[in-house]
Amino acid sequence: GEDVEQSLFLSVREGDSSVINCTYTDSSSTYLYWYKQEPGAGLQLLTYIFSNMDMKQDQRLTVLLNKKDKHLSLRIADTQTGDSAIYFCADQKGTALIFGKGTTLSVSS
Amino acid sequence: GAVVSQHPSWVICKSGTSVKIECRSLDFQATTMFWYRQFPKQSLMLMATSNEGSKATYEQGVEKDKFLINHASLTLSTLTVTSAHPEDSSFYICSAREMGARAKNIQYFGAGTRLSVL
């Protein structure tokens, strides 16, 4: 299967929490990343987590890592319309980053 | 901080011509830069890893003679698509990793270049 897998779409209402899930295959990963891509733009690093951590919180963003299940999630609290974008989970492979196909988050008001 | 500038943002060219895309780290030095290609509604596919002062490392299936990469300084890498054809039309994105940041492998991305070959 793919190295990094994500669900393709998520639709939420403004003010709700969004949870984007990701699974990866490489158990030797040291860091895992979340990037955001707005239409026609490059990728913006949102956050990253060291593999020996279970959770990392940064303002409205919470990253949960279950290393045993190789599962990573990104929770966005109080989701806003400006959060509408594609969110990519990324894993390390040597010096390269391996990206999932991205989850399109749609926020309705 | 950590700004990566990519130029041009959009280019249209005739089949058979060559196109050069520049990637610059504006406020940090990058010994390593990466070039990705992204198809519509798809993920980013790594094309090559560019190291300052040495030859680029290409991923399997990427033609090195087709996609020429030069990383002549710590702040600039260029990708030249030679003899472009319509199938080369895509969104090309570069990223740069700050010196000393190899362990965390944090890459900062440019805004991308949309290439359309007629």
Side-chain angles (χ1 to χ4, degrees), chain B residues 68-93:
Chain B
L68 298 178
I69 291 171
N70 183 278
H71 192 159
S73 77
L74 287 172
T75 58
L76 174 64
S77 176
T78 60
L79 168 68
T80 302
V81 183
T82 62
S83 186
H85 290 283
E87 59 265 28
D88 299 323
S89 298
S90 191
F91 193 56
Y92 294 87
I93 308 178

Side-chain angles (χ1 to χ4, degrees), chain B residues 3-15:
Chain B
V3 177
V4 174
S5 172
Q6 189 172 338
H7 178 80
S9 56
W10 190 24
V11 58
I12 301 173
C13 69
K14 291 183 179 179
S15 187

